[in-house]
Amino acid sequence: MGLLWSYRKMSDQPTWYVMQGEQQLGPYTGQQLAEYAAQGSITRESMVWAEGMPDWIQAAQVENLFPAAQPATTPATGSPYQTPATTDPTAAPGSTPYPHPGVKASSFGMWAGFLVVGIILMIAGFIIAANAGNSSPGPDPDSDDAALGIVLLGLMGIGYSLILVSTILVYVYLYRAWKCLLPGGLARSTPGKAIGFLFIPFFNLYWLFQAFYGLAQDWNRTVDAYPDLRSVPKLSEGVFLTFCICAIVFYPINLILIFIVMSQITTGINSFAFRPKPHQPGTPGFTLG
């Protein structure tokens, strides 16, 4: 199971909280927490927090909360958490705890905000331009045309820039999603290859299916292979496959599907980004008290 967390008690009876879905339950005493764990109400993957802790951790990392497991054998040198290929080339995926991939959190709201505001500004520019053509000129047509041109240029320029930023974020988040799969040894592609091949003309029509649909397949396969990834949400292979097909045969549908795809990708990335990192020597942790 890895190294357990330990800490100096902030009080004789620490106050504990448990995250169930999006709801925070508690407060509980350490004894109550142990009783819920014995009943099965709290699992090893449940996220818990106590006063004085810097962040939420998995219940499995609370000392004495669950029966002690056989400690995993670690290499003599290097990090105690390695990819299966590094620790043992013959080890089957899932036979060791999944290492933290070291990815940054991703914001679906930020990506969607850039895209939506950019589209609105572009549409507003076209509407203003159309209405200007139907309106009667003022006393100084040249001045009116110059002012209108500046407004249109500003609106459409900002709109295009925001759409461009949202497009870049698609590649950034896709890169991070593939990076999440690297430690598992089941990914068909590296992050750089997954993104880079999308820029090859004509070949990218084929590679689109590998970069997106292949991501969903490898993601779900990795989550199934590692027991400690049961809390990680899976990607909808049907949605990702439909997204790839529509990108070739009828792109307008993807203006809707892209929101579903990016929502699942960012949620999946954040489930890895916010997982407790492997214990580092000298790092204080937490016990029941």
Side-chain angles (χ1 to χ4, degrees):
M1 177 174 298
L3 298 176
L4 294 173
W5 295 68
S6 61
Y7 85 109
R8 300 173 182 172
K9 294 187 296 181
M10 301 296 296
S11 64
D12 292 336
Q13 293 184 345
T15 301
W16 290 88
Y17 296 87
V18 180
M19 185 64 68
Q20 185 176 27
E22 298 182 356
Q23 184 179 8
Q24 178 178 304
L25 305 179
Y28 304 118
T29 64
Q31 181 178 356
Q32 289 176 312
L33 203 69
E35 292 175 355
Y36 290 142
Q39 297 170 3
S41 301
I42 296 177
T43 66
R44 295 178 182 273
E45 290 75 28
S46 299
M47 301 304 293
V48 298
W49 178 85
E51 296 177 356
M53 294 175 58
D55 202 354
W56 292 78
I57 63 172
Q58 287 186 328
Q61 295 174 284
V62 180
E63 189 174 359
N64 300 326
L65 183 56
F66 295 96
Q70 183 68 26
T73 304
T74 57
T77 59
S79 170
Y81 281 74
Q82 302 286 346
T83 64
T86 302
T87 54
D88 184 0
T90 63
S95 60
T96 59
Y98 199 85
H100 197 287
V103 295
K104 295 181 179 179
S106 303
S107 173
F108 172 78
M110 181 175 67
W111 167 82
F114 281 131
L115 179 60
V116 172
V117 174
I119 292 176
I120 291 175
L121 292 179
M122 292 288 287
I123 294 175
F126 284 115
I127 293 176
I128 293 175
N131 291 337
N134 297 328
S135 61
S136 57
D140 189 356
D142 293 337
S143 177
D144 292 343
D145 291 343
L148 180 62
I150 294 175
V151 172
L152 290 176
L153 184 62
L155 285 176
M156 301 186 73
I158 295 174
Y160 177 80
S161 298
L162 293 178
I163 294 175
L164 179 61
V165 171
S166 71
T167 302
I168 294 174
L169 285 177
V170 171
Y171 292 110
V172 172
Y173 292 168
L174 184 62
Y175 180 96
R176 293 178 185 176
W178 278 104
K179 186 177 180 181
C180 290
L181 303 183
L182 274 184
L186 298 176
R188 70 188 65 190
S189 173
T190 63
K193 178 181 176 182
I195 304 304
F197 283 8
L198 289 174
F199 292 92
I200 302 176
F202 302 109
F203 179 78
N204 54 11
L205 298 178
Y206 157 77
W207 191 252
L208 179 70
F209 288 83
Q210 299 298 320
F212 283 91
Y213 179 49
L215 169 68
Q217 291 179 309
D218 293 354
W219 183 285
N220 295 340
R221 197 151 52 101
T222 299
V223 171
D224 288 336
Y226 288 84
D228 57 330
L229 295 184
R230 284 181 293 180
S231 60
V232 175
K234 292 186 177 182
L235 304 182
S236 173
E237 296 181 21
V239 170
F240 278 68
L241 177 59
T242 303
F243 175 80
C244 296
I245 295 174
C246 291
I248 299 175
V249 300
F250 193 66
Y251 189 81
I253 295 181
N254 277 358
L255 294 178
I256 298 175
L257 290 179
I258 187 63
F259 285 90
I260 303 176
V261 169
M262 292 304 295
S263 175
Q264 293 191 15
I265 286 179
T266 52
T267 300
I269 293 172
N270 291 339
S271 67
F272 278 97
F274 295 132
R275 290 182 76 230
K277 294 183 178 180
H279 175 77
Q280 298 296 329
T283 301
F286 301 84
T287 62
L288 282 173

